[in-house]
Amino acid sequence: MARAAVVAGLGAWAPPTVVTNEQLAGELDTTDEWIRSRTGISERRWVAPGQSTGDLAAEAGRRALASAGTAGVDAVVLATSSPDRPCPATAPEVAARLGLGPVPAFDVAAVCTGFVYALGTGAGLISLGVADSVLVIGADAFSTLLAPDDRSTRVIFGDGGGAVVLRAGSPTEDGALTGLALGSDGTLGDLIEIPAGGSRQRSTGLPAKTEDTWFTMRGQAVYAQAVRRMAQTVRDTARCAGWGPAEVDSFVLHQANARILTAVARRLELPAERFLNAIALRGNTVAASIPLALADGAASGALRPGHKVLLAGFGGGLTWGSVALVWPRLHQPPPPATAEPRPPGAPAQRT
């Protein structure tokens, strides 16, 4: 029988610093009502000075390992678009902090679709027999990439990390990933970007304009693309899994904003209640948004063993993707994503 990648553990962590709408309203030309009505967000968590994506990823990974009841894995795949440094990748340091030894570890950059891309990558390592287990992490400290005076982006994004442990198993068991679909359209790459800092800008020999070093997004165009692409990838993946969209118990989509979730549900002609919405207290956490939503859903009971679940993301690139699974009974439930972590740099605890 073919090998499949099976979800065996889940963990997530958001940094303790809460940033409310009222705080942002005091800094920007906005109000709590304006932010809530357009995004569905009431607060978000941002890294403190000196904290990084690697800190978020390591804590989420530690919790996923504990949930899986294991001390090690054969590979680490980290989805992020806010690495600790442009070079090297952040994943090897995360693996070292978790005490995983000289395992292969690398980053995947697909912005808000990153976690789905990383799941596909981890599943490929398992199906080829390269690894029997893979730690897949989505983490971003996107608050560090936002212009201080940009109301259109600063109110939307939060920071966090989420992770799953994949193990080799049977395609027929609960937790097995199935129906993976991925796509991209590079002709629309300028809809979501940070213009400066890469080789194209650096090769000019000219200093970067300050405004080009911050994240930018063309909101209305992104909204239209996100709704269309996520609805289509959901249909494609449900078909590959042998499900009709109406058979899916829970849709866990990228938590971009509440209006997009509602619009996708409407486009699919499905009840909005089936679409897990964890954005109010998180904001858009980029590659971390899907695993954070999974952790919130598992903790609240919205995700239950035996549920048919479909994950879908959309992000810069443009990129999109989705994957289906029947939610498994985990070895240990994940702790709350907002519980206090170990002190930064402390050695990983073993289960």
Side-chain angles (χ1 to χ4, degrees), residues 186-213:
T187 67
L188 297 174
D190 62 346
L191 296 187
I192 300 171
E193 66 171 346
I194 299 174
S199 61
R200 185 177 302 281
Q201 176 267 314
R202 287 174 178 266
S203 70
T204 66
L206 300 173
K209 298 177 182 178
T210 300
E211 60 268 27
D212 288 343
T213 64

Side-chain angles (χ1 to χ4, degrees), residues 254-348:
H254 166 54
Q255 306 286 295
N257 69 51
R259 292 171 59 234
I260 288 177
L261 297 178
T262 300
V264 173
R266 187 182 304 117
R267 195 178 185 101
L268 293 170
E269 299 180 329
L270 293 171
E273 295 75 26
R274 293 192 193 178
F275 290 74
L276 199 152
N277 186 340
I279 196 169
L281 303 182
R282 301 266 181 240
N284 180 343
T285 53
V286 195
S289 80
I290 290 176
L292 270 169
L294 287 173
D296 287 344
S300 70
L303 293 179
R304 296 194 295 273
H307 269 188
K308 293 179 178 178
V309 179
L310 200 148
L311 319 180
F314 171 86
L318 297 176
T319 59
W320 56 87
S322 53
V323 65
L325 72 157
V326 175
W327 193 249
R329 187 174 300 279
L330 299 176
H331 178 77
Q332 295 182 41
T338 52
E340 288 301 309
R342 294 173 298 109

Side-chain angles (χ1 to χ4, degrees), residues 80-144:
T80 187
S81 293
S82 55
D84 287 8
R85 294 166 286 179
C87 174
T90 302
E93 184 174 340
V94 171
R97 288 176 60 175
L98 293 173
L100 299 178
V103 299
F106 54 94
D107 292 358
V108 170
V111 199
C112 299
T113 321
F115 186 71
V116 178
Y117 268 64
L119 283 176
T121 303
L125 293 175
I126 288 174
S127 66
L128 288 172
V130 175
D132 290 327
S133 58
V134 180
L135 176 61
V136 177
I137 308 172
D140 270 299
F142 227 66
S143 65
T144 63

Side-chain angles (χ1 to χ4, degrees), residues 1-6 123 126-129 167-173 176-177:
M1 181 178 291
R3 285 161 60 100
V6 179
I126 288 174
S127 66
L128 288 172
R167 61 164 176 82
S170 163
T172 60
E173 66 180 295
L177 303 184

Side-chain angles (χ1 to χ4, degrees), residues 224-265:
Q225 287 287 329
V227 173
R228 181 165 72 90
R229 297 297 191 181
M230 280 204 286
Q232 187 58 55
T233 196
V234 162
R235 292 191 188 98
D236 293 343
T237 298
R239 187 182 308 113
C240 289
W243 304 341
E247 297 177 63
V248 177
D249 296 296
S250 295
F251 295 87
V252 185
L253 308 189
H254 166 54
Q255 306 286 295
N257 69 51
R259 292 171 59 234
I260 288 177
L261 297 178
T262 300
V264 173

